[in-house]
Amino acid sequence: ECFNGLSMKITVYGKSTAKVELIEPKDPKNSTVSWKDDYLNEYTKEYTINTIIKNIIQEEYKGEWIDKVQLYYENELIQLD
């Protein structure tokens, strides 16, 4: 799984909770984007979080699916201020 070329590790707990770990590139010098600088900064953080959550939850899906998403960056839960 990835978001604009950046890696994510997704683990599903129980039947409806997804834990998403945002993973920085292993060699940031060779990468043109990063979670921290490009997607979790003060201007883009809320948009990034909403986009990832909406894509995982898939509100239009009528079957049993994910209803809770937890996003983590560097082992810390991401929260909106």
Side-chain angles (χ1 to χ4, degrees), residues 9-41:
K9 179 182 175 188
I10 301 173
T11 307
V12 177
Y13 295 96
K15 293 184 179 180
S16 61
T17 301
K19 178 182 179 181
V20 180
E21 298 175 66
L22 308 179
I23 302 168
E24 287 289 0
K26 292 181 183 190
D27 188 1
K29 293 178 184 177
N30 292 330
S31 180
T32 59
V33 295
S34 78
W35 284 112
K36 181 180 178 184
D37 296 334
D38 298 302
Y39 296 105
L40 297 176
N41 64 53

Short mmCIF file of all heavy atoms in Angstrom, two decimals, residues 9-41:
data_model
loop_
_atom_site.label_atom_id
_atom_site.label_comp_id
_atom_site.label_asym_id
_atom_site.label_seq_id
_atom_site.Cartn_x
_atom_site.Cartn_y
_atom_site.Cartn_z
N LYS A 9 2.03 0.78 6.07
CA LYS A 9 1.79 -0.59 6.52
C LYS A 9 0.42 -0.58 7.19
O LYS A 9 0.18 0.18 8.13
CB LYS A 9 2.86 -1.02 7.51
CG LYS A 9 2.65 -2.42 8.04
CD LYS A 9 3.70 -2.80 9.06
CE LYS A 9 3.37 -4.16 9.65
NZ LYS A 9 4.26 -4.46 10.77
N ILE A 10 -0.47 -1.43 6.70
CA ILE A 10 -1.83 -1.47 7.23
C ILE A 10 -2.09 -2.81 7.89
O ILE A 10 -1.86 -3.86 7.29
CB ILE A 10 -2.86 -1.21 6.12
CG1 ILE A 10 -2.61 0.15 5.49
CG2 ILE A 10 -4.28 -1.31 6.67
CD1 ILE A 10 -3.45 0.45 4.28
N THR A 11 -2.56 -2.75 9.13
CA THR A 11 -2.91 -3.95 9.88
C THR A 11 -4.36 -3.81 10.32
O THR A 11 -4.75 -2.77 10.84
CB THR A 11 -2.00 -4.09 11.13
OG1 THR A 11 -0.64 -4.01 10.73
CG2 THR A 11 -2.25 -5.40 11.84
N VAL A 12 -5.16 -4.86 10.09
CA VAL A 12 -6.56 -4.83 10.50
C VAL A 12 -6.71 -5.65 11.77
O VAL A 12 -6.26 -6.79 11.86
CB VAL A 12 -7.47 -5.39 9.39
CG1 VAL A 12 -8.92 -5.43 9.85
CG2 VAL A 12 -7.32 -4.57 8.12
N TYR A 13 -7.34 -5.03 12.78
CA TYR A 13 -7.59 -5.68 14.06
C TYR A 13 -9.08 -5.97 14.19
O TYR A 13 -9.90 -5.13 13.84
CB TYR A 13 -7.15 -4.78 15.22
CG TYR A 13 -5.67 -4.54 15.24
CD1 TYR A 13 -5.12 -3.41 14.66
CD2 TYR A 13 -4.81 -5.46 15.82
CE1 TYR A 13 -3.75 -3.19 14.67
CE2 TYR A 13 -3.44 -5.25 15.84
CZ TYR A 13 -2.93 -4.12 15.26
OH TYR A 13 -1.58 -3.91 15.27
N GLY A 14 -9.38 -7.13 14.74
CA GLY A 14 -10.79 -7.50 14.85
C GLY A 14 -11.38 -7.52 13.46
O GLY A 14 -10.75 -7.94 12.50
N LYS A 15 -12.58 -7.04 13.33
CA LYS A 15 -13.22 -7.02 12.02
C LYS A 15 -13.30 -5.62 11.42
O LYS A 15 -13.63 -5.48 10.25
CB LYS A 15 -14.64 -7.58 12.13
CG LYS A 15 -14.69 -9.05 12.46
CD LYS A 15 -16.12 -9.52 12.46
CE LYS A 15 -16.18 -11.01 12.76
NZ LYS A 15 -17.55 -11.50 12.76
N SER A 16 -13.00 -4.58 12.22
CA SER A 16 -13.32 -3.27 11.69
C SER A 16 -12.35 -2.14 12.04
O SER A 16 -12.65 -0.98 11.78
CB SER A 16 -14.71 -2.87 12.16
OG SER A 16 -14.74 -2.81 13.58
N THR A 17 -11.19 -2.43 12.59
CA THR A 17 -10.23 -1.38 12.94
C THR A 17 -8.94 -1.56 12.14
O THR A 17 -8.35 -2.63 12.14
CB THR A 17 -9.90 -1.41 14.45
OG1 THR A 17 -11.11 -1.22 15.18
CG2 THR A 17 -8.92 -0.31 14.81
N ALA A 18 -8.53 -0.49 11.47
CA ALA A 18 -7.29 -0.53 10.69
C ALA A 18 -6.26 0.38 11.34
O ALA A 18 -6.55 1.54 11.65
CB ALA A 18 -7.55 -0.08 9.26
N LYS A 19 -5.06 -0.15 11.53
CA LYS A 19 -3.93 0.65 12.00
C LYS A 19 -3.04 0.91 10.79
O LYS A 19 -2.59 -0.02 10.12
CB LYS A 19 -3.14 -0.09 13.07
CG LYS A 19 -1.93 0.68 13.55
CD LYS A 19 -1.14 -0.09 14.59
CE LYS A 19 0.09 0.70 15.03
NZ LYS A 19 0.90 -0.04 16.01
N VAL A 20 -2.81 2.19 10.49
CA VAL A 20 -2.02 2.57 9.33
C VAL A 20 -0.74 3.25 9.81
O VAL A 20 -0.80 4.27 10.50
CB VAL A 20 -2.81 3.54 8.42
CG1 VAL A 20 -1.98 3.94 7.21
CG2 VAL A 20 -4.14 2.94 8.00
N GLU A 21 0.39 2.66 9.46
CA GLU A 21 1.68 3.23 9.82
C GLU A 21 2.27 3.87 8.57
O GLU A 21 2.44 3.21 7.55
CB GLU A 21 2.61 2.15 10.34
CG GLU A 21 2.08 1.49 11.61
CD GLU A 21 2.95 0.34 12.05
OE1 GLU A 21 4.12 0.58 12.43
OE2 GLU A 21 2.47 -0.80 11.97
N LEU A 22 2.56 5.17 8.65
CA LEU A 22 3.13 5.90 7.53
C LEU A 22 4.65 5.75 7.61
O LEU A 22 5.26 6.09 8.63
CB LEU A 22 2.72 7.37 7.60
CG LEU A 22 1.21 7.61 7.74
CD1 LEU A 22 0.92 9.09 7.83
CD2 LEU A 22 0.45 6.96 6.60
N ILE A 23 5.26 5.25 6.55
CA ILE A 23 6.67 4.90 6.57
C ILE A 23 7.46 5.81 5.63
O ILE A 23 7.18 5.88 4.43
CB ILE A 23 6.86 3.43 6.15
CG1 ILE A 23 6.04 2.54 7.09
CG2 ILE A 23 8.33 3.05 6.15
CD1 ILE A 23 5.91 1.11 6.62
N GLU A 24 8.44 6.50 6.21
CA GLU A 24 9.31 7.37 5.42
C GLU A 24 10.19 6.52 4.51
O GLU A 24 10.50 5.37 4.83
CB GLU A 24 10.19 8.23 6.32
CG GLU A 24 9.48 9.34 7.03
CD GLU A 24 9.04 10.50 6.13
OE1 GLU A 24 9.27 10.47 4.90
OE2 GLU A 24 8.44 11.44 6.67
N PRO A 25 10.63 7.06 3.38
CA PRO A 25 11.55 6.32 2.51
C PRO A 25 12.83 5.94 3.26
O PRO A 25 13.28 6.69 4.12
CB PRO A 25 11.86 7.32 1.39
CG PRO A 25 10.75 8.31 1.43
CD PRO A 25 10.28 8.37 2.86
N LYS A 26 13.39 4.79 2.91
CA LYS A 26 14.61 4.32 3.59
C LYS A 26 15.79 5.23 3.31
O LYS A 26 16.65 5.40 4.16
CB LYS A 26 14.92 2.89 3.16
CG LYS A 26 13.90 1.91 3.67
CD LYS A 26 14.23 0.51 3.28
CE LYS A 26 13.09 -0.37 3.78
NZ LYS A 26 13.34 -1.75 3.70
N ASP A 27 15.84 5.81 2.13
CA ASP A 27 16.92 6.73 1.78
C ASP A 27 16.31 8.07 1.39
O ASP A 27 16.05 8.33 0.21
CB ASP A 27 17.76 6.17 0.63
CG ASP A 27 19.00 7.00 0.37
OD1 ASP A 27 19.23 8.00 1.08
OD2 ASP A 27 19.74 6.65 -0.57
N PRO A 28 16.05 8.94 2.38
CA PRO A 28 15.36 10.20 2.09
C PRO A 28 16.11 11.11 1.11
O PRO A 28 15.51 11.94 0.46
CB PRO A 28 15.22 10.87 3.46
CG PRO A 28 16.06 10.09 4.40
CD PRO A 28 16.38 8.79 3.77
N LYS A 29 17.41 10.93 0.98
CA LYS A 29 18.18 11.76 0.05
C LYS A 29 17.80 11.48 -1.40
O LYS A 29 17.91 12.35 -2.26
CB LYS A 29 19.68 11.52 0.25
CG LYS A 29 20.18 12.00 1.57
CD LYS A 29 21.65 11.71 1.73
CE LYS A 29 22.12 12.12 3.12
NZ LYS A 29 23.51 11.78 3.35
N ASN A 30 17.35 10.26 -1.69
CA ASN A 30 16.97 9.88 -3.05
C ASN A 30 15.47 9.99 -3.30
O ASN A 30 15.00 9.64 -4.37
CB ASN A 30 17.44 8.45 -3.35
CG ASN A 30 18.94 8.36 -3.43
OD1 ASN A 30 19.60 9.32 -3.81
ND2 ASN A 30 19.49 7.23 -3.05
N SER A 31 14.72 10.46 -2.32
CA SER A 31 13.28 10.58 -2.46
C SER A 31 12.91 12.04 -2.69
O SER A 31 13.49 12.95 -2.10
CB SER A 31 12.58 10.06 -1.21
OG SER A 31 11.19 10.18 -1.35
N THR A 32 11.91 12.26 -3.54
CA THR A 32 11.48 13.64 -3.80
C THR A 32 10.38 14.09 -2.86
O THR A 32 10.06 15.27 -2.81
CB THR A 32 11.00 13.77 -5.26
OG1 THR A 32 9.92 12.87 -5.48
CG2 THR A 32 12.13 13.50 -6.23
N VAL A 33 9.77 13.14 -2.12
CA VAL A 33 8.69 13.48 -1.19
C VAL A 33 8.90 12.77 0.14
O VAL A 33 9.59 11.76 0.21
CB VAL A 33 7.29 13.13 -1.74
CG1 VAL A 33 6.96 13.95 -2.95
CG2 VAL A 33 7.18 11.66 -2.05
N SER A 34 8.29 13.31 1.18
CA SER A 34 8.32 12.67 2.49
C SER A 34 6.98 12.91 3.18
O SER A 34 6.28 13.87 2.88
CB SER A 34 9.46 13.21 3.35
OG SER A 34 9.12 14.47 3.90
N TRP A 35 6.64 12.02 4.08
CA TRP A 35 5.41 12.20 4.86
C TRP A 35 5.49 13.50 5.65
O TRP A 35 4.59 14.33 5.58
CB TRP A 35 5.20 11.03 5.83
CG TRP A 35 4.70 9.80 5.17
CD1 TRP A 35 5.38 8.62 5.01
CD2 TRP A 35 3.41 9.59 4.58
NE1 TRP A 35 4.60 7.71 4.35
CE2 TRP A 35 3.38 8.28 4.08
CE3 TRP A 35 2.29 10.39 4.42
CZ2 TRP A 35 2.27 7.76 3.43
CZ3 TRP A 35 1.18 9.87 3.78
CH2 TRP A 35 1.17 8.56 3.30
N LYS A 36 6.56 13.66 6.39
CA LYS A 36 6.69 14.80 7.30
C LYS A 36 6.67 16.14 6.56
O LYS A 36 5.91 17.03 6.92
CB LYS A 36 7.98 14.67 8.11
CG LYS A 36 8.18 15.79 9.10
CD LYS A 36 9.47 15.63 9.87
CE LYS A 36 9.68 16.78 10.82
NZ LYS A 36 10.94 16.69 11.52
N ASP A 37 7.49 16.26 5.54
CA ASP A 37 7.62 17.56 4.87
C ASP A 37 6.49 17.88 3.91
O ASP A 37 6.08 19.03 3.80
CB ASP A 37 8.95 17.63 4.11
CG ASP A 37 10.15 17.55 5.04
OD1 ASP A 37 10.03 17.93 6.22
OD2 ASP A 37 11.22 17.10 4.57
N ASP A 38 5.98 16.88 3.21
CA ASP A 38 5.00 17.14 2.16
C ASP A 38 3.55 16.86 2.53
O ASP A 38 2.65 17.49 1.98
CB ASP A 38 5.36 16.32 0.92
CG ASP A 38 6.72 16.71 0.37
OD1 ASP A 38 6.90 17.90 0.05
OD2 ASP A 38 7.60 15.83 0.27
N TYR A 39 3.32 15.91 3.43
CA TYR A 39 1.93 15.51 3.69
C TYR A 39 1.47 15.65 5.14
O TYR A 39 0.28 15.52 5.43
CB TYR A 39 1.71 14.07 3.22
CG TYR A 39 1.88 13.97 1.73
CD1 TYR A 39 3.01 13.40 1.17
CD2 TYR A 39 0.92 14.50 0.87
CE1 TYR A 39 3.18 13.34 -0.21
CE2 TYR A 39 1.08 14.46 -0.50
CZ TYR A 39 2.21 13.87 -1.03
OH TYR A 39 2.38 13.83 -2.38
N LEU A 40 2.40 15.89 6.05
CA LEU A 40 2.00 16.07 7.46
C LEU A 40 2.42 17.44 7.99
O LEU A 40 2.52 17.64 9.19
CB LEU A 40 2.61 14.96 8.33
CG LEU A 40 2.14 13.54 7.99
CD1 LEU A 40 2.87 12.52 8.84
CD2 LEU A 40 0.63 13.40 8.15
N ASN A 41 2.63 18.38 7.09
CA ASN A 41 2.98 19.72 7.54
C ASN A 41 1.70 20.48 7.93
O ASN A 41 0.60 19.96 7.75
CB ASN A 41 3.79 20.47 6.48
CG ASN A 41 3.02 20.72 5.21
OD1 ASN A 41 1.92 21.25 5.23
ND2 ASN A 41 3.58 20.30 4.08
#
